[in-house]
Amino acid sequence: MKKKITVLPGDGIGPEVVQSAVNVLDTVADQFGHEFEYSYAKIGGVAIDEENSPLPSETVRVCKESDGILLGAVGGPKWDTLPGDMRPEKGLLGIRKELNLFANLRPVTAFDSLIEASTLRKEVVKGVDLMILRELTSGLYFGEPKERREENGEQVVVDTLYYKRSEIERIIKQAFELARVRRKKVTSVDKANVLESSRVWREVAEEVGKQYPDIELEHMLVDNAAMQLIRDPKQFDVLVTENMFGDILSDEASMLTGSLGMLPSASIGSTGPGLYEPVHGSAPDIAGQGKANPLATIASVAMMLKYSFGLSKEAEVVDKAVSTVLEQGYRTGDIAAEGETTLSTTEMTEKVIAAMTNQAKVTN
Ligand code: NAD
């Protein structure tokens, strides 16, 4: 298989973790006889510095021509004081919108070998395997008007929670499709006791659910969902929700596993390339020191192999290699317990590649 991959390293630790993921992709290509062709482009702070825009048009063009996009992270203190339109995050929001990436998938898996890293009790976290599906291109973050204005001599401020029925429908459908290949349960999260948009969301979920009689559908209010995620996260399989609710719940869920450095994500649309990136940011505090945990970015390319290229076997090899290195006790600083030896970004990557090579030897 021949695939074109756009690589957007971005800022801070972005370039370091992206290099690790590219090395892993090269190993997959070697092992399975695929050909991955990489095009590098700029996004975020580095693009502001060099092209005076967080999302240069050339970057959008290269992304649109590819089969999958790998992103590191954007942002850092250097750009924190720039005006809104010139902020690195604008690059990220912009590329999601340009490519119509309406579904953000965040798997949260508790690795047995890292269970001690969670702030929650072992028995609560052990066995957690859930997927948060967040609507990404509409809702409260994009609705208009979004403004400050004056009313009767006083400042008022408005944000708008706007959804087209079709936008709700496609994300809910995606949730059911995902549940079908998982444990067959969808939890649709809303605030239907207060918000009209949520009442329509619930109606659409019911309607779409009728097309999936094999999947269990439950509705949950967002405040309860926030509580249940901490109380009993194992009850969830696929959790689907509006843009802002998803933003908050997915960060909350990420802490179940104990480290940001372990969490991959995918943003996909109906057609065109998907965008794959770690959940963490650019970690300016450790950038350039070789300390970054590359596993979230490596797990993100496993998602690319599975969801954009349909290469499930290859994705499994990568995921299994990540579990193996953790079981073998290898740790980067962010997931090490006190007194444990820590590996650098490149050393950890080499361990993952060695585990992939060992798997290939065993199967051959
Ligand atoms: P962050 O995720 O960058 O870092 C939070 C903490 O986690 C830091 O202590 C960092 O060292 C640690 N950490 C994160 N990833 C790690 C990894 N792979 N290995 C080891 N440790 C890791 O969040 P922040 O500090 O709030 O934000 C820093 C910058 O990143 C900001 O400019 C923010 O806007 C940006 N950001 C970008 C994205 C993105 O590009 N998707 C997401 C979140 C934040």
Side-chain angles (χ1 to χ4, degrees):
M1 190 179 268
K2 220 172 163 173
K3 292 287 175 193
K4 280 193 200 169
I5 300 173
T6 298
V7 184
L8 307 173
D11 308 314
I13 60 168
E16 302 167 46
V17 291
V18 154
Q19 185 56 52
S20 299
V22 167
N23 293 349
V24 166
L25 280 172
D26 284 341
T27 309
V28 169
D30 280 351
Q31 285 186 342
F32 290 88
H34 303 306
E35 205 179 305
F36 299 137
E37 185 191 307
Y38 308 105
S39 304
Y40 283 76
K42 296 189 179 73
I43 194 167
V46 66
I48 295 171
D49 286 353
E50 291 177 26
E51 317 265 342
N52 207 29
S53 159
L55 184 64
S57 50
E58 175 62 9
T59 298
V60 176
R61 189 190 64 75
V62 177
C63 285
K64 282 186 174 166
E65 280 177 5
S66 59
D67 300 303
I69 303 159
L70 168 63
L71 174 87
V74 299
K78 183 176 175 192
W79 305 281
D80 274 353
T81 50
L82 292 174
D85 267 2
M86 280 296 276
R87 296 286 295 259
E89 302 79 36
K90 267 280 164 192
L92 206 52
L93 293 177
I95 194 71
R96 289 171 181 163
K97 196 80 185 165
E98 280 283 346
L99 300 173
N100 208 4
L101 304 173
F102 65 84
N104 183 239
L105 282 68
R106 281 202 196 177
V108 179
T109 317
F111 293 94
D112 279 355
S113 41
L114 282 185
I115 220 102
E116 303 291 346
S118 177
T119 49
L120 297 185
R121 283 207 315 271
K122 247 197 278 191
E123 59 274 23
V124 175
V125 181
K126 196 172 160 47
V128 166
D129 176 15
L130 61 92
M131 175 77 83
I132 299 210
L133 189 56
R134 163 188 170 197
E135 200 290 324
L136 206 55
T137 50
S138 192
L140 196 58
Y141 289 0
F142 291 96
E144 297 285 350
K146 181 185 280 302
E147 63 188 15
R148 298 166 188 221
R149 56 178 186 242
E150 192 124 323
E151 275 175 21
N152 304 323
E154 191 185 359
Q155 185 182 45
V156 296
V157 58
V158 182
D159 285 296
T160 303
L161 207 173
Y162 174 97
Y163 269 110
K164 289 185 204 156
R165 199 175 181 89
S166 56
E167 291 172 330
I168 303 176
E169 223 168 74
R170 65 185 180 180
I171 187 85
I172 302 265
K173 267 197 180 137
Q174 187 83 52
F176 278 99
E177 291 293 331
L178 280 170
R180 198 162 248 178
V181 293
R182 294 177 48 94
R183 296 194 308 281
K184 298 196 167 37
K185 180 176 172 188
V186 170
T187 305
S188 171
V189 175
D190 61 39
K191 187 73 182 166
N193 53 343
V194 179
L195 298 175
E196 204 50 42
S197 56
S198 281
R199 287 192 269 274
V200 173
W201 181 281
R202 207 173 262 221
E203 277 166 36
V204 174
E206 280 295 323
E207 247 173 63
V208 173
K210 290 196 183 106
Q211 298 161 33
Y212 295 85
D214 53 324
I215 315 278
E216 180 193 346
L217 167 66
E218 72 171 357
H219 303 282
M220 194 176 278
L221 294 175
V222 62
D223 36 355
N224 186 26
M227 191 258 282
Q228 295 296 338
L229 267 172
I230 299 298
R231 197 188 70 85
D232 177 22
K234 271 176 272 192
Q235 68 184 289
F236 296 113
D237 179 17
V238 176
L239 207 148
V240 61
T241 191
E242 187 271 337
N243 200 341
M244 186 182 73
F245 296 162
D247 191 3
I248 298 169
L249 290 182
S250 54
D251 263 29
E252 184 194 359
S254 72
M255 282 326 288
L256 296 172
T257 62
S259 172
L260 271 174
M262 294 301 305
L263 289 157
S265 83
S267 304
I268 55 179
S270 315
T271 53
L275 176 82
Y276 298 84
E277 58 179 318
V279 167
H280 62 74
S282 57
D285 52 333
I286 56 164
Q289 300 170 31
K291 289 183 181 167
N293 182 349
L295 296 180
T297 318
I298 291 173
S300 299
V301 293
M303 292 184 84
M304 180 190 291
L305 293 167
K306 184 170 172 183
Y307 294 111
S308 277
F309 305 163
L311 299 174
S312 297
K313 205 165 114 203
E314 287 80 345
E316 239 170 71
V317 166
V318 177
D319 282 335
K320 193 155 174 234
V322 169
S323 305
T324 304
V325 297
L326 293 172
E327 278 158 26
Q328 288 168 337
Y330 296 120
R331 300 285 185 266
T332 43
D334 57 315
I335 50 174
E338 235 181 84
E340 270 181 334
T341 316
T342 59
L343 300 188
S344 69
T345 310
T346 43
E347 286 166 342
M348 186 57 126
T349 309
E350 281 159 14
K351 295 296 179 196
V352 172
I353 290 173
M356 290 169 71
T357 312
N358 274 338
Q359 275 186 65
K361 275 191 204 140
V362 173
T363 21
N364 284 339

